[in-house]
Amino acid sequence: MRIDAHQHYWRYRAADFPWIDEQMVQLRQDFLPVDLTPLLVGRDFDGAITVQARQSLDETAQLLQWAESRGKADAVVGWVDITAADLARQLETLRHPRLRGFRHLVQDDPDPARWLHQPSVAAGMSELQRQGYAWDMLVTWRHLPELTAFAARHDEHWLVLDHLGKPDIARGATAWGEQVAELAAMPHVVCKLSGLVTEAPEGRWSAAQLRPFIEEALARFGPQRLMFGSDWPVCLLAANYDEVSQLLEDATDALTADEQAQIWGTTAARVYGLTGGESGSVFKR
């Protein structure tokens, strides 16, 4: 099974996407399953994980409808207010066989470190992990220390580091590897090989510049805790779908067939429960 573990759909309305600024002209349009399907087919993907881009229950419901319109290997990482007092009730309302995890735009919070340490967040995470939902972690390199402490407190189910924690490309892969080392040592944490092209300064990237980060991630997490994600359509700010896929193909071509299979689908299938079950996935230490 080959899975693109990180992509987005949306019908674009400027008011719904404040993070898409006027410089991101490539993103100020609709991106729907009909647009992604040819790209997935062209790279022999069996399915994709659609990840929330708005903090909206309505968006989560729409993403689930779109996932149903594609193959059985498609699933959704949606959004819910995990600080809500009635979280358990909301999760029951949202329950759906394609809903396999949740995410919050922590990087966009006025104080990400404070958000990660809220008691209400801790209570919500306990409920999500009890119910078997994965949690995608979206921060930048600036808050990796706080995220590491967060991950240590919430170790009952899978946590997924999006976009390698958005490393500081200018500081280099070795510095990022040292920063992420403690987080990567936790067996319940996996990492998406995604989003690197848009972290390069001004979107001007080269394979030689980004490949060391992929190699460092392999050394820190191992193939069994890494997964490919295109970050389409956000990647279009710096590269097309084939360029993003080829970057990882070239960086992993010396791995064994089994190691490559883990990165290109097996890890995502395991973490997001694509191999069975009505919702959630199974986490074993």
PDB file of all heavy atoms in Angstrom, residues 89-117:
ATOM      1  N   ARG A  89     -18.668  14.019  23.822  1.00  0.00           N
ATOM      2  CA  ARG A  89     -19.908  14.082  23.039  1.00  0.00           C
ATOM      3  C   ARG A  89     -19.619  14.481  21.598  1.00  0.00           C
ATOM      4  O   ARG A  89     -20.185  13.913  20.646  1.00  0.00           O
ATOM      5  CB  ARG A  89     -20.880  15.080  23.665  1.00  0.00           C
ATOM      6  CG  ARG A  89     -22.228  15.165  22.937  1.00  0.00           C
ATOM      7  CD  ARG A  89     -23.019  16.391  23.328  1.00  0.00           C
ATOM      8  NE  ARG A  89     -22.325  17.629  22.989  1.00  0.00           N
ATOM      9  CZ  ARG A  89     -22.291  18.131  21.749  1.00  0.00           C
ATOM     10  NH1 ARG A  89     -22.887  17.503  20.743  1.00  0.00           N
ATOM     11  NH2 ARG A  89     -21.653  19.269  21.524  1.00  0.00           N
ATOM     12  N   GLN A  90     -18.723  15.461  21.411  1.00  0.00           N
ATOM     13  CA  GLN A  90     -18.380  15.892  20.060  1.00  0.00           C
ATOM     14  C   GLN A  90     -17.737  14.748  19.273  1.00  0.00           C
ATOM     15  O   GLN A  90     -18.014  14.561  18.081  1.00  0.00           O
ATOM     16  CB  GLN A  90     -17.429  17.088  20.102  1.00  0.00           C
ATOM     17  CG  GLN A  90     -18.061  18.371  20.598  1.00  0.00           C
ATOM     18  CD  GLN A  90     -17.153  19.566  20.385  1.00  0.00           C
ATOM     19  OE1 GLN A  90     -16.567  19.735  19.315  1.00  0.00           O
ATOM     20  NE2 GLN A  90     -17.023  20.407  21.411  1.00  0.00           N
ATOM     21  N   LEU A  91     -16.872  13.984  19.925  1.00  0.00           N
ATOM     22  CA  LEU A  91     -16.225  12.859  19.244  1.00  0.00           C
ATOM     23  C   LEU A  91     -17.244  11.810  18.831  1.00  0.00           C
ATOM     24  O   LEU A  91     -17.109  11.199  17.760  1.00  0.00           O
ATOM     25  CB  LEU A  91     -15.154  12.244  20.152  1.00  0.00           C
ATOM     26  CG  LEU A  91     -13.920  13.111  20.415  1.00  0.00           C
ATOM     27  CD1 LEU A  91     -12.999  12.426  21.420  1.00  0.00           C
ATOM     28  CD2 LEU A  91     -13.173  13.419  19.126  1.00  0.00           C
ATOM     29  N   GLU A  92     -18.242  11.608  19.653  1.00  0.00           N
ATOM     30  CA  GLU A  92     -19.290  10.647  19.295  1.00  0.00           C
ATOM     31  C   GLU A  92     -20.059  11.137  18.074  1.00  0.00           C
ATOM     32  O   GLU A  92     -20.401  10.356  17.179  1.00  0.00           O
ATOM     33  CB  GLU A  92     -20.237  10.436  20.480  1.00  0.00           C
ATOM     34  CG  GLU A  92     -21.273   9.354  20.243  1.00  0.00           C
ATOM     35  CD  GLU A  92     -20.651   8.001  19.966  1.00  0.00           C
ATOM     36  OE1 GLU A  92     -19.590   7.678  20.540  1.00  0.00           O
ATOM     37  OE2 GLU A  92     -21.243   7.254  19.149  1.00  0.00           O
ATOM     38  N   THR A  93     -20.319  12.439  18.016  1.00  0.00           N
ATOM     39  CA  THR A  93     -21.018  13.018  16.865  1.00  0.00           C
ATOM     40  C   THR A  93     -20.175  12.909  15.601  1.00  0.00           C
ATOM     41  O   THR A  93     -20.705  12.651  14.509  1.00  0.00           O
ATOM     42  CB  THR A  93     -21.350  14.494  17.139  1.00  0.00           C
ATOM     43  OG1 THR A  93     -22.182  14.580  18.305  1.00  0.00           O
ATOM     44  CG2 THR A  93     -22.073  15.123  15.960  1.00  0.00           C
ATOM     45  N   LEU A  94     -18.859  13.082  15.741  1.00  0.00           N
ATOM     46  CA  LEU A  94     -17.963  13.061  14.590  1.00  0.00           C
ATOM     47  C   LEU A  94     -17.611  11.653  14.116  1.00  0.00           C
ATOM     48  O   LEU A  94     -17.119  11.484  13.001  1.00  0.00           O
ATOM     49  CB  LEU A  94     -16.647  13.781  14.935  1.00  0.00           C
ATOM     50  CG  LEU A  94     -16.679  15.297  15.030  1.00  0.00           C
ATOM     51  CD1 LEU A  94     -15.367  15.804  15.633  1.00  0.00           C
ATOM     52  CD2 LEU A  94     -16.910  15.928  13.659  1.00  0.00           C
ATOM     53  N   ARG A  95     -17.851  10.660  14.940  1.00  0.00           N
ATOM     54  CA  ARG A  95     -17.370   9.306  14.650  1.00  0.00           C
ATOM     55  C   ARG A  95     -17.687   8.886  13.213  1.00  0.00           C
ATOM     56  O   ARG A  95     -18.819   8.977  12.745  1.00  0.00           O
ATOM     57  CB  ARG A  95     -17.975   8.305  15.632  1.00  0.00           C
ATOM     58  CG  ARG A  95     -17.334   6.916  15.560  1.00  0.00           C
ATOM     59  CD  ARG A  95     -17.814   6.048  16.695  1.00  0.00           C
ATOM     60  NE  ARG A  95     -17.451   6.601  17.996  1.00  0.00           N
ATOM     61  CZ  ARG A  95     -16.249   6.476  18.544  1.00  0.00           C
ATOM     62  NH1 ARG A  95     -15.292   5.822  17.917  1.00  0.00           N
ATOM     63  NH2 ARG A  95     -16.025   7.005  19.731  1.00  0.00           N
ATOM     64  N   HIS A  96     -16.644   8.383  12.533  1.00  0.00           N
ATOM     65  CA  HIS A  96     -16.758   8.048  11.117  1.00  0.00           C
ATOM     66  C   HIS A  96     -15.621   7.085  10.784  1.00  0.00           C
ATOM     67  O   HIS A  96     -14.507   7.246  11.285  1.00  0.00           O
ATOM     68  CB  HIS A  96     -16.642   9.320  10.270  1.00  0.00           C
ATOM     69  CG  HIS A  96     -16.947   9.144   8.828  1.00  0.00           C
ATOM     70  ND1 HIS A  96     -16.078   8.523   7.948  1.00  0.00           N
ATOM     71  CD2 HIS A  96     -18.034   9.508   8.086  1.00  0.00           C
ATOM     72  CE1 HIS A  96     -16.614   8.523   6.737  1.00  0.00           C
ATOM     73  NE2 HIS A  96     -17.798   9.104   6.800  1.00  0.00           N
ATOM     74  N   PRO A  97     -15.862   6.083   9.940  1.00  0.00           N
ATOM     75  CA  PRO A  97     -14.796   5.121   9.643  1.00  0.00           C
ATOM     76  C   PRO A  97     -13.583   5.707   8.948  1.00  0.00           C
ATOM     77  O   PRO A  97     -12.499   5.106   8.983  1.00  0.00           O
ATOM     78  CB  PRO A  97     -15.498   4.082   8.745  1.00  0.00           C
ATOM     79  CG  PRO A  97     -16.730   4.743   8.257  1.00  0.00           C
ATOM     80  CD  PRO A  97     -17.144   5.695   9.327  1.00  0.00           C
ATOM     81  N   ARG A  98     -13.705   6.893   8.342  1.00  0.00           N
ATOM     82  CA  ARG A  98     -12.552   7.514   7.689  1.00  0.00           C
ATOM     83  C   ARG A  98     -11.808   8.494   8.604  1.00  0.00           C
ATOM     84  O   ARG A  98     -10.759   8.998   8.216  1.00  0.00           O
ATOM     85  CB  ARG A  98     -13.001   8.260   6.426  1.00  0.00           C
ATOM     86  CG  ARG A  98     -13.656   7.381   5.362  1.00  0.00           C
ATOM     87  CD  ARG A  98     -12.681   6.380   4.771  1.00  0.00           C
ATOM     88  NE  ARG A  98     -13.322   5.581   3.732  1.00  0.00           N
ATOM     89  CZ  ARG A  98     -13.201   5.788   2.426  1.00  0.00           C
ATOM     90  NH1 ARG A  98     -12.449   6.783   1.996  1.00  0.00           N
ATOM     91  NH2 ARG A  98     -13.815   5.006   1.568  1.00  0.00           N
ATOM     92  N   LEU A  99     -12.349   8.794   9.764  1.00  0.00           N
ATOM     93  CA  LEU A  99     -11.728   9.760  10.676  1.00  0.00           C
ATOM     94  C   LEU A  99     -10.720   9.036  11.550  1.00  0.00           C
ATOM     95  O   LEU A  99     -11.075   8.241  12.416  1.00  0.00           O
ATOM     96  CB  LEU A  99     -12.790  10.433  11.535  1.00  0.00           C
ATOM     97  CG  LEU A  99     -12.310  11.526  12.492  1.00  0.00           C
ATOM     98  CD1 LEU A  99     -11.631  12.665  11.738  1.00  0.00           C
ATOM     99  CD2 LEU A  99     -13.487  12.062  13.311  1.00  0.00           C
ATOM    100  N   ARG A 100      -9.424   9.320  11.362  1.00  0.00           N
ATOM    101  CA  ARG A 100      -8.378   8.571  12.046  1.00  0.00           C
ATOM    102  C   ARG A 100      -7.479   9.412  12.943  1.00  0.00           C
ATOM    103  O   ARG A 100      -6.583   8.879  13.600  1.00  0.00           O
ATOM    104  CB  ARG A 100      -7.516   7.839  11.014  1.00  0.00           C
ATOM    105  CG  ARG A 100      -8.323   6.869  10.142  1.00  0.00           C
ATOM    106  CD  ARG A 100      -9.096   5.891  11.015  1.00  0.00           C
ATOM    107  NE  ARG A 100      -9.994   5.053  10.242  1.00  0.00           N
ATOM    108  CZ  ARG A 100      -9.700   3.853   9.772  1.00  0.00           C
ATOM    109  NH1 ARG A 100      -8.495   3.361   9.969  1.00  0.00           N
ATOM    110  NH2 ARG A 100     -10.594   3.167   9.099  1.00  0.00           N
ATOM    111  N   GLY A 101      -7.698  10.722  12.980  1.00  0.00           N
ATOM    112  CA  GLY A 101      -6.872  11.558  13.836  1.00  0.00           C
ATOM    113  C   GLY A 101      -7.344  12.995  13.818  1.00  0.00           C
ATOM    114  O   GLY A 101      -8.296  13.354  13.118  1.00  0.00           O
ATOM    115  N   PHE A 102      -6.636  13.818  14.601  1.00  0.00           N
ATOM    116  CA  PHE A 102      -6.973  15.235  14.708  1.00  0.00           C
ATOM    117  C   PHE A 102      -5.704  16.077  14.727  1.00  0.00           C
ATOM    118  O   PHE A 102      -4.597  15.575  14.991  1.00  0.00           O
ATOM    119  CB  PHE A 102      -7.785  15.499  15.974  1.00  0.00           C
ATOM    120  CG  PHE A 102      -9.158  14.889  15.946  1.00  0.00           C
ATOM    121  CD1 PHE A 102      -9.391  13.642  16.503  1.00  0.00           C
ATOM    122  CD2 PHE A 102     -10.221  15.552  15.346  1.00  0.00           C
ATOM    123  CE1 PHE A 102     -10.650  13.062  16.473  1.00  0.00           C
ATOM    124  CE2 PHE A 102     -11.483  14.989  15.313  1.00  0.00           C
ATOM    125  CZ  PHE A 102     -11.696  13.742  15.872  1.00  0.00           C
ATOM    126  N   ARG A 103      -5.900  17.379  14.456  1.00  0.00           N
ATOM    127  CA  ARG A 103      -4.782  18.323  14.497  1.00  0.00           C
ATOM    128  C   ARG A 103      -5.306  19.692  14.891  1.00  0.00           C
ATOM    129  O   ARG A 103      -6.467  20.031  14.641  1.00  0.00           O
ATOM    130  CB  ARG A 103      -4.091  18.408  13.131  1.00  0.00           C
ATOM    131  CG  ARG A 103      -2.830  19.274  13.148  1.00  0.00           C
ATOM    132  CD  ARG A 103      -2.112  19.272  11.805  1.00  0.00           C
ATOM    133  NE  ARG A 103      -2.727  20.189  10.852  1.00  0.00           N
ATOM    134  CZ  ARG A 103      -2.084  20.701   9.795  1.00  0.00           C
ATOM    135  NH1 ARG A 103      -0.823  20.361   9.556  1.00  0.00           N
ATOM    136  NH2 ARG A 103      -2.699  21.519   8.950  1.00  0.00           N
ATOM    137  N   HIS A 104      -4.447  20.474  15.531  1.00  0.00           N
ATOM    138  CA  HIS A 104      -4.721  21.867  15.856  1.00  0.00           C
ATOM    139  C   HIS A 104      -3.572  22.691  15.290  1.00  0.00           C
ATOM    140  O   HIS A 104      -2.410  22.245  15.309  1.00  0.00           O
ATOM    141  CB  HIS A 104      -4.810  22.047  17.375  1.00  0.00           C
ATOM    142  CG  HIS A 104      -5.158  23.431  17.815  1.00  0.00           C
ATOM    143  ND1 HIS A 104      -6.456  23.903  17.825  1.00  0.00           N
ATOM    144  CD2 HIS A 104      -4.384  24.460  18.252  1.00  0.00           C
ATOM    145  CE1 HIS A 104      -6.459  25.155  18.262  1.00  0.00           C
ATOM    146  NE2 HIS A 104      -5.216  25.513  18.528  1.00  0.00           N
ATOM    147  N   LEU A 105      -3.873  23.894  14.786  1.00  0.00           N
ATOM    148  CA  LEU A 105      -2.829  24.745  14.201  1.00  0.00           C
ATOM    149  C   LEU A 105      -2.045  25.441  15.315  1.00  0.00           C
ATOM    150  O   LEU A 105      -2.092  26.653  15.483  1.00  0.00           O
ATOM    151  CB  LEU A 105      -3.456  25.763  13.245  1.00  0.00           C
ATOM    152  CG  LEU A 105      -4.274  25.171  12.086  1.00  0.00           C
ATOM    153  CD1 LEU A 105      -4.878  26.281  11.239  1.00  0.00           C
ATOM    154  CD2 LEU A 105      -3.420  24.254  11.231  1.00  0.00           C
ATOM    155  N   VAL A 106      -1.287  24.637  16.049  1.00  0.00           N
ATOM    156  CA  VAL A 106      -0.551  25.163  17.204  1.00  0.00           C
ATOM    157  C   VAL A 106       0.428  26.251  16.779  1.00  0.00           C
ATOM    158  O   VAL A 106       0.615  27.249  17.488  1.00  0.00           O
ATOM    159  CB  VAL A 106       0.187  24.023  17.939  1.00  0.00           C
ATOM    160  CG1 VAL A 106       0.978  24.563  19.123  1.00  0.00           C
ATOM    161  CG2 VAL A 106      -0.811  22.963  18.405  1.00  0.00           C
ATOM    162  N   GLN A 107       1.050  26.097  15.622  1.00  0.00           N
ATOM    163  CA  GLN A 107       2.031  27.084  15.182  1.00  0.00           C
ATOM    164  C   GLN A 107       1.423  28.476  15.016  1.00  0.00           C
ATOM    165  O   GLN A 107       2.136  29.481  15.082  1.00  0.00           O
ATOM    166  CB  GLN A 107       2.649  26.655  13.860  1.00  0.00           C
ATOM    167  CG  GLN A 107       1.673  26.677  12.685  1.00  0.00           C
ATOM    168  CD  GLN A 107       2.354  26.478  11.348  1.00  0.00           C
ATOM    169  OE1 GLN A 107       3.483  26.004  11.280  1.00  0.00           O
ATOM    170  NE2 GLN A 107       1.668  26.833  10.269  1.00  0.00           N
ATOM    171  N   ASP A 108       0.108  28.552  14.789  1.00  0.00           N
ATOM    172  CA  ASP A 108      -0.553  29.831  14.580  1.00  0.00           C
ATOM    173  C   ASP A 108      -1.146  30.422  15.858  1.00  0.00           C
ATOM    174  O   ASP A 108      -1.698  31.525  15.833  1.00  0.00           O
ATOM    175  CB  ASP A 108      -1.670  29.687  13.533  1.00  0.00           C
ATOM    176  CG  ASP A 108      -1.119  29.344  12.157  1.00  0.00           C
ATOM    177  OD1 ASP A 108       0.050  29.662  11.894  1.00  0.00           O
ATOM    178  OD2 ASP A 108      -1.864  28.755  11.352  1.00  0.00           O
ATOM    179  N   ASP A 109      -1.056  29.681  16.959  1.00  0.00           N
ATOM    180  CA  ASP A 109      -1.545  30.213  18.231  1.00  0.00           C
ATOM    181  C   ASP A 109      -0.655  31.377  18.670  1.00  0.00           C
ATOM    182  O   ASP A 109       0.560  31.357  18.442  1.00  0.00           O
ATOM    183  CB  ASP A 109      -1.525  29.109  19.295  1.00  0.00           C
ATOM    184  CG  ASP A 109      -2.257  29.525  20.556  1.00  0.00           C
ATOM    185  OD1 ASP A 109      -3.466  29.284  20.630  1.00  0.00           O
ATOM    186  OD2 ASP A 109      -1.601  30.100  21.456  1.00  0.00           O
ATOM    187  N   PRO A 110      -1.229  32.395  19.305  1.00  0.00           N
ATOM    188  CA  PRO A 110      -0.402  33.515  19.780  1.00  0.00           C
ATOM    189  C   PRO A 110       0.724  33.078  20.716  1.00  0.00           C
ATOM    190  O   PRO A 110       1.765  33.727  20.779  1.00  0.00           O
ATOM    191  CB  PRO A 110      -1.405  34.412  20.502  1.00  0.00           C
ATOM    192  CG  PRO A 110      -2.721  34.093  19.862  1.00  0.00           C
ATOM    193  CD  PRO A 110      -2.657  32.639  19.533  1.00  0.00           C
ATOM    194  N   ASP A 111       0.517  31.983  21.448  1.00  0.00           N
ATOM    195  CA  ASP A 111       1.530  31.486  22.382  1.00  0.00           C
ATOM    196  C   ASP A 111       1.525  29.954  22.342  1.00  0.00           C
ATOM    197  O   ASP A 111       0.915  29.306  23.182  1.00  0.00           O
ATOM    198  CB  ASP A 111       1.246  31.989  23.791  1.00  0.00           C
ATOM    199  CG  ASP A 111       2.372  31.693  24.767  1.00  0.00           C
ATOM    200  OD1 ASP A 111       3.267  30.873  24.430  1.00  0.00           O
ATOM    201  OD2 ASP A 111       2.373  32.271  25.869  1.00  0.00           O
ATOM    202  N   PRO A 112       2.223  29.361  21.363  1.00  0.00           N
ATOM    203  CA  PRO A 112       2.202  27.897  21.232  1.00  0.00           C
ATOM    204  C   PRO A 112       2.660  27.167  22.487  1.00  0.00           C
ATOM    205  O   PRO A 112       2.100  26.120  22.839  1.00  0.00           O
ATOM    206  CB  PRO A 112       3.158  27.639  20.061  1.00  0.00           C
ATOM    207  CG  PRO A 112       3.103  28.896  19.246  1.00  0.00           C
ATOM    208  CD  PRO A 112       2.977  29.992  20.254  1.00  0.00           C
ATOM    209  N   ALA A 113       3.670  27.694  23.180  1.00  0.00           N
ATOM    210  CA  ALA A 113       4.161  27.028  24.383  1.00  0.00           C
ATOM    211  C   ALA A 113       3.076  26.970  25.455  1.00  0.00           C
ATOM    212  O   ALA A 113       2.892  25.940  26.117  1.00  0.00           O
ATOM    213  CB  ALA A 113       5.396  27.756  24.914  1.00  0.00           C
ATOM    214  N   ARG A 114       2.344  28.065  25.616  1.00  0.00           N
ATOM    215  CA  ARG A 114       1.242  28.089  26.589  1.00  0.00           C
ATOM    216  C   ARG A 114       0.160  27.092  26.194  1.00  0.00           C
ATOM    217  O   ARG A 114      -0.365  26.363  27.042  1.00  0.00           O
ATOM    218  CB  ARG A 114       0.663  29.508  26.683  1.00  0.00           C
ATOM    219  CG  ARG A 114      -0.477  29.645  27.696  1.00  0.00           C
ATOM    220  CD  ARG A 114      -1.314  30.904  27.417  1.00  0.00           C
ATOM    221  NE  ARG A 114      -1.922  30.855  26.101  1.00  0.00           N
ATOM    222  CZ  ARG A 114      -3.065  30.221  25.830  1.00  0.00           C
ATOM    223  NH1 ARG A 114      -3.713  29.590  26.793  1.00  0.00           N
ATOM    224  NH2 ARG A 114      -3.549  30.217  24.609  1.00  0.00           N
ATOM    225  N   TRP A 115      -0.183  27.056  24.897  1.00  0.00           N
ATOM    226  CA  TRP A 115      -1.237  26.151  24.439  1.00  0.00           C
ATOM    227  C   TRP A 115      -0.876  24.708  24.751  1.00  0.00           C
ATOM    228  O   TRP A 115      -1.705  23.938  25.247  1.00  0.00           O
ATOM    229  CB  TRP A 115      -1.467  26.322  22.930  1.00  0.00           C
ATOM    230  CG  TRP A 115      -2.713  25.653  22.439  1.00  0.00           C
ATOM    231  CD1 TRP A 115      -3.951  26.203  22.321  1.00  0.00           C
ATOM    232  CD2 TRP A 115      -2.852  24.275  22.047  1.00  0.00           C
ATOM    233  NE1 TRP A 115      -4.855  25.262  21.874  1.00  0.00           N
ATOM    234  CE2 TRP A 115      -4.203  24.074  21.693  1.00  0.00           C
ATOM    235  CE3 TRP A 115      -1.970  23.200  21.962  1.00  0.00           C
ATOM    236  CZ2 TRP A 115      -4.694  22.844  21.252  1.00  0.00           C
ATOM    237  CZ3 TRP A 115      -2.442  21.967  21.529  1.00  0.00           C
ATOM    238  CH2 TRP A 115      -3.793  21.797  21.179  1.00  0.00           C
ATOM    239  N   LEU A 116       0.361  24.327  24.492  1.00  0.00           N
ATOM    240  CA  LEU A 116       0.792  22.948  24.704  1.00  0.00           C
ATOM    241  C   LEU A 116       0.745  22.539  26.178  1.00  0.00           C
ATOM    242  O   LEU A 116       0.667  21.346  26.477  1.00  0.00           O
ATOM    243  CB  LEU A 116       2.210  22.755  24.163  1.00  0.00           C
ATOM    244  CG  LEU A 116       2.352  22.777  22.639  1.00  0.00           C
ATOM    245  CD1 LEU A 116       3.821  22.900  22.246  1.00  0.00           C
ATOM    246  CD2 LEU A 116       1.736  21.534  22.004  1.00  0.00           C
ATOM    247  N   HIS A 117       0.786  23.510  27.084  1.00  0.00           N
ATOM    248  CA  HIS A 117       0.816  23.199  28.515  1.00  0.00           C
ATOM    249  C   HIS A 117      -0.526  23.399  29.207  1.00  0.00           C
ATOM    250  O   HIS A 117      -0.613  23.232  30.430  1.00  0.00           O
ATOM    251  CB  HIS A 117       1.893  24.051  29.207  1.00  0.00           C
ATOM    252  CG  HIS A 117       3.287  23.565  28.947  1.00  0.00           C
ATOM    253  ND1 HIS A 117       4.016  23.964  27.846  1.00  0.00           N
ATOM    254  CD2 HIS A 117       4.069  22.700  29.641  1.00  0.00           C
ATOM    255  CE1 HIS A 117       5.205  23.370  27.887  1.00  0.00           C
ATOM    256  NE2 HIS A 117       5.261  22.599  28.939  1.00  0.00           N
TER     257      HIS A 117
END
